[in-house]
Structure formats: structure tokens, C-alpha cells
Amino acid sequence: MAVIREKDIIVGEQSLQQWAASARDMISMHADARGGSHFVSPALPRPVWAMSVRYSLYLLQLRAPGPGVEVRVAPWGAVKILDGPASDPHNLTPPDVIELDPDVWLRLACGITQWAEEKQAGHISAIGERDDLSALLPLM
């Protein structure tokens, strides 16, 4: 199943741009706060968050298609990316799984924070050999 419906791609792009602009506004308002980027979480309606996540996962899937790594951003989406072993036929989960909260994922997708920063802060759960998406991010 696709992470976003074709008819929602434009809305998803607009939502991601809105999320990024709101996040950057938050950062500029609190530029003197140390480590503030890790706490950026704009107060936007739930549908904007959902479409931002879905659209950004769609972009990730376009950038690195394949069955080898599953990226999960609950509750709004999951995609399989990168070449590698496909899912186990019994549980449908590939050997490499990365899980992120929506705010963490969107910060990474928008280039607000870096993979290493979020990983070191304990905001990324990654299992498997391919547990670093830094070469694929940011998406915009």
C-alpha cells in the first residue's frame, strides 16, 4: 500500500512546506536557546502533521527505492527503502527497521537537525546493519 494517495501529493507537499516554515520560525524566535532544534515541534493541526509525514516518506521512497529497510513514523506511515534482503515471508518485516516519532522525522527530513544529533539524543530506534539514513537526508 502506498504511503500517500496520488491525489494527496500536492496537499502533502504544501503541508511539509508549512511544517518546515513553522519549525524554522520557531527556531529563529528562540535562536539563543541551546539545543533548541531538538525540541522543535510546531503547533499545527493533526492533518498537517499527517500529510507532512506521508509526503516526506513518499519522497524518501522515491530517493531510495527497495525492500531492504523499513522506516516507520507512527502513526502516519511506513515505507520500505534501499536495496537489500526483502522481508521475512513469515512476518513481512525486513532485517533493518528504523522507527522515529513524527517530530524527529520531520526535523530530519527538513534539515533542521542531523541524523547523528538525533541518534545521539536517543530519538531514533534503529535495528540492523543499515541504521543510518544521513546520506539520504534532508529531503527538502
Side-chain angles (χ1 to χ4, degrees):
M1 184 169 142
V3 72
I4 192 169
R5 295 179 297 191
E6 191 171 330
K7 70 177 188 164
D8 291 332
I9 289 175
I10 291 172
V11 173
E13 181 179 16
Q14 292 167 345
S15 295
L16 184 59
Q17 289 172 354
Q18 181 181 357
W19 192 96
S22 295
R24 288 189 178 99
D25 287 347
M26 285 181 72
I27 292 169
S28 66
M29 289 185 338
H30 305 289
D32 58 341
R34 298 186 80 190
S37 298
H38 290 290
F39 301 102
V40 170
S41 186
L44 294 169
R46 187 172 169 86
V48 172
W49 278 83
M51 293 307 291
S52 296
V53 167
R54 290 178 183 139
Y55 180 73
S56 58
L57 287 172
Y58 164 76
L59 293 177
L60 179 66
Q61 195 172 32
L62 290 177
R63 184 171 286 182
V69 177
E70 186 167 288
V71 179
R72 299 175 183 166
V73 183
W76 292 304
V79 293
K80 292 182 182 174
I81 61 167
L82 297 172
D83 289 330
S87 302
D88 178 312
H90 299 288
N91 68 12
L92 302 178
T93 301
D96 298 308
V97 177
I98 298 170
E99 295 180 345
L100 309 102
D101 288 334
D103 55 339
V104 175
W105 170 248
L106 291 173
R107 288 193 302 262
L108 290 166
C110 295
I112 292 169
T113 56
Q114 302 297 313
W115 187 266
E117 293 174 74
E118 295 285 2
K119 182 80 168 167
Q120 186 175 15
H123 298 159
I124 298 171
S125 171
I127 299 168
E129 294 177 14
R130 293 168 294 169
D131 63 351
D132 185 341
L133 300 181
S134 59
L136 300 172
L137 299 169
L139 297 170
M140 59 178 296

